[in-house]
Amino acid sequence: MTIISNDRTTIDSDLVVDGVHLIGGDWVSAAAGETIDVINPANRQLIARVPRGTADDVEAAVQAAEQAFPAWRDLNATERGRLLFRWADLIEQNAEALDELERQEVGRPSWGPLGTPRQLRFIAGQADKVQGVSLPTYSPDTLGFTLREPYGVVGGIIPWNAPGPMFVTEVGAAIAAGNTMVMKPAEDAPLTPLAMAKLALEAGIPPGVINVVTGYGTEAGAALPAHPRIRRMGFTGSPQTGALVMEACARNLTPLHLELGGKSPQVIFSDADLDAAVPAIVAGITLNTGQICAAGSRVVVDRRIHAEVVDRLAAQMQTVTVGPWHEPVNMGPLINAKQHARVLGYIELGKEAGAEVVTGGVAPTGDRFGDGFFVAPTLFDKVDPDMRIAQEEIFGPVLSVIPVDDEQEAIRVANGTDYGLVASVWTRDLGTAVRMSRALQAGQVAVNTALGAPAIGAPFGGYKNSGFGRTMGADSVLDWTQVKTVSMREAASLGR
Ligand code: NAD
């Protein structure tokens, strides 16, 4: 166990080992021996190093997963589920340490108890509910049925914004179905996934079932979908990278699902409960510094209440406290210099296009912000639906207000981007809620709530360029299986 040092800005955790990743149950350095620095985005200080994996590490991990596959596939499904439940228990027992680890690498303040154990328990409960169907047959001496079988060795690539939950969501469903897996976490936030994998081993999930290769996207990341013996892929990240992963999969005819970005609308009707809507909308765009795929980044509001909504949103935004991860603030920094430049660049684009900054619009200054990648929560009014700030995913705490005249215009504007991940509607009218739920092109529609559906086992995924496939729901386990039809004829009847 290596601890780099023990002050507030470096990792002090029993859950991570410096400089190694996980292949076949062994914690090893990169084949090429190189490492990547993981920094705290609040002050740019080094918190740990992880291996800079390449195609050689991916090959080693695929081999380890291949070795582990037959026994894991043949383990009875209830036992596989039991091991996943144990993994969830260990995650719960280590919740505080995991939260602290994720907070340091992502730079976010505390969110309190995480939903990861309950999400994993939902998936664990699906392990022995993977069922085929019986098929009618043309003659009574024949049986027909389907089996759902795992693919074999599968791969997953995840982003940095919620590394723990992403890791568990992808891995949990894939291994519940009997696959073994190679995961490539993001280079900016690989520590929580490594810690989660360590707990999986401690829970008794056999070596080689979960392998974690750290590294850059263009190196270890690109090698994973390009590997010919990866039988299925899951990718979560930007649409641009998703297209590259899909291209690589196409060359090997590897099936995949894509969980991509969003430009989610918050549609506010004139009868909405603004006391509920405004805090939820501001929390939704400032949580994780707006770096959430589902973040509601466009407020599409009835023109009659437009001015009141802008005033209230601005007042609420001004209550959001900003600072480093270990302080009791609402919002931390952005993840890295590139993301910082991107968000500030979009703010400039918005101003140049004629949108009005109501609050924020700057990087805060002062000692406590030091070298961190901070940006103030920003509210734009007078946004035209065609402006780039209203069309493109900013992935920062930037909210755009677009007034509309009626329901039809609200639908046109809400659906008027390339994305379709999540949409919220704020209204007291049941008819409006029903019509909007049908009309909105999004993988999840939430009425009178901001961040996705609080329903248990809710499938999550996108329409349009937000991707395809669904994670988190019961079907997510089925997604990691392939269907085999078996027709079985009584031997004695042959030749009759
Ligand atoms: P990204 O696409 O840059 O990176 C995601 C992952 O892909 C990282 O692990 C990265 O190393 C890897 N990668 C980069 N280039 C690669 C390549 N050529 N081949 C293979 N892998 C490569 O995304 P990001 O900046 O880390 O994350 C932000 C994006 O993720 C946003 O668009 C956000 O909306 C999206 N996201 C979507 C969901 C969802 O569930 N729909 C959840 C979280 C984030």
Side-chain angles (χ1 to χ4, degrees):
M1 181 73 40
T2 305
I3 293 167
I4 293 175
S5 85
N6 195 20
D7 64 39
R8 215 60 181 120
T9 56
T10 56
I11 292 293
D12 173 11
S13 172
D14 286 344
L15 294 172
V16 280
V17 184
D18 197 42
V20 289
H21 54 189
L22 180 64
I23 297 179
D26 295 323
W27 295 97
V28 294
S29 308
E34 292 187 41
T35 57
I36 296 174
D37 290 349
V38 182
I39 61 149
N40 181 333
N43 55 18
R44 305 192 194 199
Q45 288 190 10
L46 178 72
I47 50 176
R49 295 180 195 88
V50 293
R52 179 176 173 178
T54 60
D56 290 339
D57 301 82
V58 169
E59 174 59 35
V62 170
Q63 284 182 22
E66 283 174 335
Q67 271 185 14
F69 175 63
W72 183 247
R73 172 197 59 200
D74 294 342
L75 188 65
N76 79 65
T78 303
E79 181 61 13
R80 276 205 306 268
R82 196 178 66 83
L83 293 173
L84 285 167
F85 277 115
R86 267 193 13 212
W87 187 21
D89 289 345
L90 288 187
I91 291 174
E92 194 162 66
Q93 284 160 27
N94 289 277
E96 216 172 294
L98 286 166
D99 187 38
E100 185 156 319
L101 194 57
E102 191 173 80
R103 286 164 59 200
Q104 287 187 68
E105 59 180 345
V106 176
R108 65 167 174 79
S110 177
W111 287 348
L114 296 177
T116 315
R118 86 179 170 209
Q119 174 63 28
L120 185 54
R121 286 187 184 115
F122 177 82
I123 294 297
Q126 304 302 317
D128 61 1
K129 289 159 196 76
V130 172
Q131 297 175 342
V133 294
S134 68
L135 302 167
T137 56
Y138 287 108
S139 63
D141 58 0
T142 308
L143 286 179
F145 53 90
T146 61
L147 298 174
R148 281 201 173 255
E149 297 187 328
Y151 284 91
V153 177
V154 299
I157 298 176
I158 52 171
W160 41 261
N161 60 336
M166 298 277 163
F167 184 80
V168 165
T169 298
E170 205 74 312
V171 174
I175 70 170
N179 301 284
T180 55
M181 192 158 207
V182 180
M183 284 297 288
K184 209 299 280 177
E187 51 272 37
D188 287 298
L191 303 177
T192 319
L194 288 167
M196 293 285 189
K198 182 169 186 282
L199 293 175
L201 277 177
E202 283 174 27
I205 294 173
V209 171
I210 303 172
N211 305 276
V212 184
V213 175
T214 55
Y216 290 118
T218 49
E219 298 175 354
L224 195 52
H227 196 292
R229 299 199 311 282
I230 290 286
R231 301 297 178 203
R232 194 188 184 286
M233 274 297 299
F235 173 81
T236 307
S238 63
Q240 296 74 14
T241 310
L244 294 176
V245 169
M246 197 167 160
E247 261 178 58
C249 284
R251 281 192 283 277
N252 294 325
L253 302 176
T254 308
L256 80 164
H257 65 246
L258 295 176
E259 293 285 345
L260 307 175
K263 193 72 190 171
S264 298
Q266 298 277 351
V267 185
I268 310 182
F269 287 93
S270 58
D271 64 341
D273 177 354
L274 295 184
D275 290 343
V278 167
I281 291 170
V282 170
I285 193 66
T286 53
L287 189 76
N288 219 30
T289 323
Q291 303 168 118
I292 292 190
C293 52
S297 51
R298 294 180 297 146
V299 171
V300 179
V301 59
D302 187 310
R303 201 177 294 281
R304 286 168 292 179
I305 56 165
H306 168 223
E308 182 188 357
V309 166
V310 169
D311 286 351
R312 284 201 188 206
L313 286 171
Q316 184 75 28
M317 267 198 172
Q318 283 153 12
T319 68
V320 174
T321 52
V322 182
W325 68 276
H326 57 275
E327 290 183 13
V329 290
N330 304 120
M331 199 178 93
L334 294 158
I335 187 79
N336 56 30
K338 191 171 151 213
Q339 185 61 14
H340 197 225
R342 173 190 164 96
V343 173
L344 291 172
Y346 270 109
I347 291 172
E348 286 315 305
L349 274 177
K351 290 179 191 165
E352 283 163 20
E356 180 186 310
V357 175
V358 184
T359 184
V362 291
T365 49
D367 281 353
R368 61 197 297 269
F369 300 113
D371 288 331
F373 305 116
F374 292 95
V375 64
T378 298
L379 181 67
F380 272 113
D381 190 19
K382 302 195 170 60
V383 177
D384 186 284
D386 296 330
M387 287 179 186
R388 286 184 61 188
I389 56 165
Q391 285 291 322
E392 298 173 18
E393 184 182 45
I394 298 175
F395 224 51
V398 182
L399 189 59
S400 292
V401 180
I402 309 171
V404 291
D405 287 326
D406 55 29
E407 189 175 309
Q408 285 314 308
E409 191 183 0
I411 293 169
R412 254 196 331 274
V413 170
N415 288 339
T417 74
D418 290 336
Y419 292 105
L421 196 54
V422 170
S424 282
V425 182
W426 299 89
T427 181
R428 288 188 170 93
D429 183 81
L430 188 57
T432 309
V434 170
R435 287 191 302 280
M436 293 300 289
S437 300
R438 286 199 188 278
L440 289 168
Q441 294 167 358
Q444 281 195 355
V445 174
V447 178
N448 296 327
T449 164
L451 258 188
I456 296 169
F460 188 80
Y463 276 32
K464 302 192 285 184
N465 291 6
S466 291
F468 51 82
R470 295 290 178 270
T471 57
M472 297 191 187
D475 287 356
S476 65
V477 180
L478 298 183
D479 255 14
W480 289 102
T481 66
Q482 46 195 344
V483 177
K484 177 185 280 176
T485 299
V486 180
S487 308
M488 201 182 285
R489 198 166 171 207
E490 192 188 338
S493 68
L494 293 175
R496 245 188 240 162

